[in-house]
Amino acid sequence: MKEIGIGLLGFGTVGAGVVEGLQQNGKLLEERLDLRLALRRLADLDLDSDRGVKADRALMTRDAGEAIRDPNVDIVVELIGGVTKAKEFIRQALELGKPVVTANKALLAEAGAELHRLAAEKKTALYFEASVGGGIPIIKAVREGLVANRITSVYGILNGTCNYILTRMEEEKLPFEQVLKAAQQAGYAEAEPSLDVDGHDTAHKAVVLASLAHGFPVPMSAVHVEGIRNISAGDISYAAEMGYRIKLLAVIKQGGNGVEARVHPTLVPHAHPLAAVSGVFNAVLVSGDIVGDTLYYGRGAGRRATASAVLADLADAARDLSSGARRPPVLRRESGKLRPIGEIVTRCYLRLSLLDKPGVLALVAQALGRKGISIASVMQKETRVGQHVPVLVVTHSAPESAFRAALAEIDRLEVVGAPTVRIRIEDFQE
Amino acid sequence: MKEIGIGLLGFGTVGAGVVEGLQQNGKLLEERLDLRLALRRLADLDLDSDRGVKADRALMTRDAGEAIRDPNVDIVVELIGGVTKAKEFIRQALELGKPVVTANKALLAEAGAELHRLAAEKKTALYFEASVGGGIPIIKAVREGLVANRITSVYGILNGTCNYILTRMEEEKLPFEQVLKAAQQAGYAEAEPSLDVDGHDTAHKAVVLASLAHGFPVPMSAVHVEGIRNISAGDISYAAEMGYRIKLLAVIKQGGNGVEARVHPTLVPHAHPLAAVSGVFNAVLVSGDIVGDTLYYGRGAGRRATASAVLADLADAARDLSSGARRPPVLRRESGKLRPIGEIVTRCYLRLSLLDKPGVLALVAQALGRKGISIASVMQKETRVGQHVPVLVVTHSAPESAFRAALAEIDRLEVVGAPTVRIRIEDFQE
């Protein structure tokens, strides 16, 4: 049986999962592929820590370059993370014409176009299933399963940490900071949580999905990003009363005016399948012009789920290598039309901090009205005359630019006690 | 650009959808594939009816064999349905070494092994994404996306007609017969509904999924099949009170004792993602030993959704043909171990029709107890002394054979007014 040699860079959590997966199901993969995936080199700076999985010491090296150049290595798997070194290693492998499998969304978001271009030049390919949605085969679904479709929209819950925090805030009616701390203690959030809770990780994945769906590199700078720090337990329960659940969504839409890509907390109707995605799970709703709505759900992170995706890419890469098949490029154009964030139109939920006295709401309504924003409903849950109380306003649809202008004005009003919190509402009507 | 010639057999609903899809997104497919999919022949007995899509009359023929043999046809698409003729045509194409794309689950369930074997002999392949789950790329997900996983279980809502009927029965509290009639009038159910409502269509799809997941042909005779005719509006509302929704599920599980495959109405906990799948939508929950739970959701039928899957298969077939890549066989073994239905263990919901008088329930409890079945809860909603009333019993787990023996005994009791309705409960604990 033909053997394909693998050089694995990064023996961390996911790397150990890949080694473990190969040991557990290597025989099954052989049967299914008619090929043997053989681990030939394993590079990491730390050769000594116990990863809970056996690895042949003779394969190990501290020198990634050595693993990449090894003539017995046919495919390079990059799992070291980070941007600078990872990019250098991937470039080295591609320069040698070796296909690369990577889970590195941060790198793809920053330099995906450059790396895909280099791969095409060198007549090889970059595989990246594990970069979005962990074990969910979402890249394959969009790229191959829906290949006949123009992708009209993608809505994704793509960060397990944020979804876990929002789920616990709802279930236990606790504030963000407290749930974040518990999540950090439980190992569901990093000590430095910004990458997750401020939306950057979701934005990296949005860039990967948007670029794939539309065939041109969507830059990070084109993605509007907001995280979940400003969401209060109150917002979650007010939203619930109105029939919504708050989720951090990546939204990618193709409209007449180009592609829009944004990441922000969003009110999702309770009955919508995305509202039912709880805890660390991820889900992606992909709509195509022929197929309609499709949804994909599973574990978005973790050693084993991510390893499953890396191994699926290895299988594809090995089959392609063995048959000489070349995948057509992911990016078909240098650039494409992007819709500026100011033009996007949504309904919004506003939490205003207003002085509890007559006539105050009229000032707010006037400021909104001057920018063409009309109010659908108002809810005031407390009364404390002469003090600031939360007032919840749900608006009809209006452009982003109108909201910004109106809220800048409102937040300058003397009767406003704190900056207004605005959360977009998604009703999933095209 | 390289052109791949397509011969389409069957210009019915899905066939017209495929022609329409090629017209709508042919240019996009070309860009994505670096190949042109060219419709070269179109065979149907009816050349005159208007399908709402333009087709070049010069490509059309009443003779499927002519389309198959045409040297300009590289890939044959079988969309005529039925078993005898379709099988003959697929065999003809495979004999010529031409890859075949089919949506025909009934044929695959009956003769999949034979056709896959012939394809392998002739060094070509049979593609069947459209046979299960309509536009959901579920075959690709199981075969490629989860290739590194032993598939531990598959739970599918695979028949849109049944799911539509159950959803409307619940929403409108109407009996089966009435909703079926409305569904027939609305075009959601066939005039001859047995294939759908008696579970056979779901069983065909279960056979396709089970054979793919486990690598050996699972015969139809190994699948236990029950439909939804015996479900009453009462069952649906009793189940709802207990926190469940009733779904027609295909269940495929890999246990120590082999593979079990069954199709039956099932009580699914409200909070489970499958419970949220309503109307004509399909969903499949696939669990792998590495990835854990993954779920796939979308339109399970219809002209455009199914065409999306056929076109995805055409893209794969064209890429394989163009590169000379050969897919490893779907079936790796001639046969495998199947678990007899009598051995499967579930909890059950029982709706008994019992004479309303003291001591009757004790007789039922004794009959269950003698077969080792213990009762978790009992609910009697009505009292009509001296008459038969529905009594709902939820049991703990017991083997199928015990239920059959106990119910045979119970249904012979004089105090029982009608055969007991039994619905299995699935708690999704492995």
Side-chain angles (χ1 to χ4, degrees), chain B residues 14 31 34 98 126 128 140 160 181 240 255 269 288 307 349 411:
Chain B
V14 178
E31 278 184 36
D34 246 337
K98 295 186 182 185
L126 186 61
F128 53 102
K140 184 174 281 285
K181 249 182 217 136
Y349 157 103
D411 285 351

Side-chain angles (χ1 to χ4, degrees), chain A residues 21 24-25 28-29 31-34 135 137 140-141 144-151 213 273 281 289-291 293-299 304-305 308 311-312 315-316 319 323 325-329 332, chain B residues 21 24-25 28-29 31-34 135 137 140-141 144-151 213 273 281 289-291 293-299 304-305 308 311-312 315-316 319 323 325-329 332:
Chain A
Q24 183 179 328
N25 286 349
L28 178 70
L29 270 166
E31 278 184 36
R32 287 187 176 156
L33 299 176
D34 247 337
K140 184 174 280 287
E144 301 173 29
L146 306 186
V147 66
N149 290 264
R150 218 167 284 277
I151 303 298
F281 278 86
D289 63 346
I290 295 182
V291 75
D293 288 350
T294 61
L295 184 136
Y296 310 84
Y297 165 97
R299 280 184 191 280
R304 289 174 68 80
S308 173
L311 290 167
D316 275 358
R319 284 211 307 125
S323 68
R326 291 216 24 230
R327 290 178 184 249
R332 305 183 307 279
Chain B
Q24 182 179 327
N25 286 350
L28 179 71
L29 270 165
E31 278 184 36
R32 287 186 175 156
L33 299 176
D34 246 337
K140 184 174 281 285
E144 301 173 30
L146 306 185
V147 66
N149 290 264
R150 218 167 283 279
I151 303 299
F281 277 85
D289 63 345
I290 296 182
V291 75
D293 288 350
T294 61
L295 184 137
Y296 310 84
Y297 165 99
R299 281 186 188 280
R304 290 174 67 79
S308 173
L311 290 167
D316 275 357
R319 283 210 308 128
S323 68
R326 292 214 25 229
R327 290 179 183 248
R332 304 183 308 279

